């Protein structure tokens, strides 16, 4: 392409610090060795972007380009990149897959040790940045940075997907959908006929419910304090919805009674440590499994009676639904194209990049599931 090897000037949303987000012109340097430059076509706003922007996640470097749930096309590739080429359709991977580390080599783990989650160094693998704005270095976000027309990605953080994939529709596969869905089918391994409860009916929780349904759960209970979320949840297969605000006793007790002793699987898709404990408590003794999916503020901790585990419950957690990202994302895209599940219910709003702040407001006000920014 005509732009290969050159600096590209384009628009991006820069997070200058907590709650300071503005759209600016930036410069995106060409990809170095084992990197690719990608034109982003669609990117969703996830609660995790909001956690960082609102400052509840500590040790984060600013200024930065947030965004991690996206789909795009490769514009150019750096030296040594052999399996990707300009024109390839791709999904950026916020949990990379280097294929070489001890976790990548372990068939039961997807936590590539090259991930930047929690550490937030915000730089490419070689320790430098490809973004500048007004002469200032701009950090990246968990190997992705997608609130920009162009981004540069390490080769280990890119999945090449089907040439026919509809890029405007599949951005939720980059985070929310795959995270929730995988939490049910991979992490919990929901069995047919089981009873599940999903706490939090946002993009991640609804996707967990889709996973429970695809796995054959017979009862899927949705819990949310925002009752506006209930209709959509029912549309995608949640069988009953409850708001803790309508209950005169703790939600874990209500759920235990409703299910005759506890659920088979529970999913915490909020990021609230008190709900995490409730999610463990409402699982059935002897065999119940609780999966932590939500990202809690950095300073929050939880504690619980260890007897809950001694009595045969399992507590688990995973990033990105436990999927080995580079291997599995192309398969999830193929499953979408084969109509194994629908993503349209997850995308409630579409906005141009210039209106990104409006997109964050919709999420904070509980009015959107996913707002997708289209370029
Ligand atoms: P969201 O804000 O769209 O959905 C959260 C839902 O929880 C909303 O519908 C709220 O109304 C509801 N809620 C809030 N507080 C309560 C409460 N006390 N009781 C019941 N319901 C409540 O977020 P999301 O779906 O985009 O993300 C959910 C979480 O998952 C969030 O913490 C995010 O950071 C995390 C996440 N984790 C991963 C991962 O890899 N593990 C990936 C993506 C997102
Ligand atoms: Zn996310
Ligand atoms: Zn690895």
């Amino acid at each position: 392409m005509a732009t290969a090897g050159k600096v590209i000037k384009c628009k991006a949303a820069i997070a200058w610090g907590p709650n300071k987000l503005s759209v600016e012109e930036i410069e995106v340097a060409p990809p170095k060795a084992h990197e690719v430059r990608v034109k982003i076509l669609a990117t969703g706003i996830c609660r995790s972007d909001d956690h960082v922007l609102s400052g509840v996640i500590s040790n984060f470097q600013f200024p930065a380009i947030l965004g991690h749930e996206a789909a795009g096309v490769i514009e150019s590739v750096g030296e040594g990149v052999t399996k990707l080429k300009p024109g390839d359709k791709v999904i950026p991977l916020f949990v990379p897959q280097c294929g070489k580390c001890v976790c990548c080599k372990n068939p039961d783990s997807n936590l590539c040790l090259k991930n930047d989650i929690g550490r937030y160094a915000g730089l490419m693998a070689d320790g430098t940045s490809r973004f500048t704005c007004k002469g200032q270095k701009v950090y990246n976000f968990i190997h992705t940075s997608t609130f920009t027309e162009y981004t540069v990605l390490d080769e280990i953080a890119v999945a090449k997907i089907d040439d026919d994939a509809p890029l405007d529709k599949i951005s939720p596969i980059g985070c929310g959908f795959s995270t929730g869905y995988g939490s049910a089918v991979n992490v919990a391994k929901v069995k047919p006929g089981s009873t599940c409860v999903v706490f939090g009916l946002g993009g991640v929780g609804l996707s967990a419910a889709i996973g429970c349904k695809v796995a054959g759960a017979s009862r899927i209970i949705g819990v949310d304090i925002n009752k506006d979320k209930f209709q959509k949840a029912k549309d995608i297969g949640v069988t009953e919805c409850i708001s803790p605000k309508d209950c005169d006793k703790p939600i874990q007790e209500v759920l235990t009674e409703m299910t005759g002793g506890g659920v088979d699987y529970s999913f915490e898709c909020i990021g609230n440590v008190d709900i995490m404990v409730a999610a463990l408590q409402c699982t059935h003794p002897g065999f119940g499994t609780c999966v932590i999916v939500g990202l809690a503020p950095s300073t929050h901790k939880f504690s619980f009676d260890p007897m809950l585990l001694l009595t045969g419950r399992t507590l688990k957690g995973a990033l990105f639904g436990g999927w080995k990202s580079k291997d599995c994302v192309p398969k999830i895209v193929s499953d979408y194209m084969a109509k194994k599940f629908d993503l349209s219910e997850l995308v409630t709003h579409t906005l141009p990049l210039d209106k990104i702040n409006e997109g964050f407001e919709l999420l904070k006000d509980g009015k959107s599931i996913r707002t997708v920014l289209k370029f």
Side-chain angles (χ1 to χ4, degrees):
M1 294 204 188
T3 46
K6 297 182 186 146
V7 170
I8 291 180
K9 283 186 195 257
C10 68
K11 276 199 298 186
I14 305 284
W16 296 103
N19 300 310
K20 275 170 69 186
L21 187 69
S22 59
V23 175
E24 310 281 354
E25 184 178 82
I26 63 158
E27 295 83 37
V28 183
K32 292 195 181 173
H34 299 287
E35 297 173 1
V36 299
R37 191 160 56 184
V38 173
K39 182 169 182 17
I40 298 293
L41 294 173
T43 177
I45 301 175
C46 168
R47 180 60 72 173
S48 306
D49 298 307
D50 178 59
H51 282 333
V52 173
L53 185 62
S54 60
V56 299
I57 301 294
S58 54
N59 76 317
F60 194 78
Q61 308 268 12
F62 292 104
I65 297 176
L66 302 177
H68 60 284
E69 184 183 282
V73 176
I74 294 183
E75 172 268 341
S76 62
V77 304
E79 267 174 52
V81 174
T82 54
K83 293 189 178 150
L84 298 164
K85 58 180 188 314
D88 282 352
K89 290 185 176 178
V90 294
I91 287 186
L93 305 171
F94 73 91
V95 177
Q97 187 183 351
C98 77
K100 294 179 183 154
C101 73
V102 64
C103 287
C104 280
K105 285 187 173 160
N106 184 324
D108 298 328
S109 173
N110 77 325
L111 191 78
C112 175
L113 297 179
K114 297 270 164 134
N115 85 81
D116 198 31
I117 298 162
R119 197 165 54 106
Y120 304 120
L123 297 166
M124 304 302 293
D126 75 349
T128 61
S129 160
R130 300 291 163 270
F131 302 126
T132 48
C133 179
K134 298 178 179 168
Q136 213 177 327
K137 162 169 138 183
V138 176
Y139 289 90
N140 75 19
F141 180 45
I142 51 173
H143 280 286
T144 46
S145 287
T146 59
F147 294 157
T148 170
E149 292 174 303
Y150 287 87
T151 191
V152 180
L153 306 170
D154 286 303
E155 191 180 20
I156 60 169
V158 188
K160 175 181 163 13
I161 58 169
D162 196 311
D163 287 337
D164 294 328
L167 294 179
D168 56 331
K169 299 196 172 69
I170 56 167
S171 59
I173 292 175
C175 179
F177 175 75
S178 303
T179 297
Y181 182 75
S183 298
V185 304
N186 273 335
V187 185
K189 297 193 168 60
V190 168
K191 293 195 187 103
S194 55
T195 295
C196 303
V197 58
V198 177
F199 292 88
L201 300 172
V204 175
L206 290 177
S207 302
I210 294 172
C212 293
K213 189 180 167 190
V214 168
S218 54
R219 206 170 163 193
I220 306 169
I221 306 169
V223 177
D224 203 297
I225 46 172
N226 180 352
K227 288 185 176 183
D228 293 344
K229 305 276 171 131
F230 291 177
Q231 189 53 51
K232 189 173 284 285
K234 287 186 178 158
D235 294 344
I236 61 137
V238 170
T239 54
E240 297 140 88
C241 289
I242 325 170
S243 166
K245 288 182 174 168
D246 291 345
C247 302
D248 51 16
K249 51 182 141 182
I251 188 71
Q252 60 273 29
E253 288 177 27
V254 174
L255 289 162
T256 303
E257 273 174 28
M258 275 173 71
T259 55
V263 302
D264 296 304
Y265 306 98
S266 67
F267 300 89
E268 202 282 352
C269 305
I270 301 168
N272 176 316
V273 292
D274 296 328
I275 306 283
M276 291 176 187
V277 177
L280 176 62
Q281 286 170 327
C282 75
T283 59
H284 200 290
F287 52 78
T289 296
C290 170
V291 182
I292 306 289
V293 188
L295 178 69
S298 310
T299 53
H300 292 196
K301 310 271 182 269
F302 69 57
S303 68
F304 59 84
D305 181 350
M307 202 63 189
L308 285 165
L309 299 185
L310 286 180
T311 48
R313 293 178 184 83
T314 302
L315 180 60
K316 304 179 94 170
L319 290 171
F320 198 52
W323 301 105
K324 280 189 182 285
S325 58
K326 218 174 166 72
D327 293 346
C328 296
V329 162
K331 294 180 191 151
I332 300 171
V333 171
S334 302
D335 283 348
Y336 165 75
M337 292 172 72
K339 300 198 162 34
K340 194 167 174 186
F341 49 80
D342 184 20
L343 296 171
S344 62
E345 294 283 0
L346 301 177
V347 180
T348 51
H349 297 75
T350 303
L351 289 174
L353 179 64
D354 288 332
K355 298 212 167 140
I356 186 167
N357 279 305
E358 203 176 296
F360 274 95
E361 289 308 316
L362 287 165
L363 181 68
K364 282 190 249 188
D365 295 344
K367 292 191 178 133
S368 60
I369 299 297
R370 279 295 189 265
T371 294
V372 173
L373 306 169
K374 290 202 175 148
F375 296 85

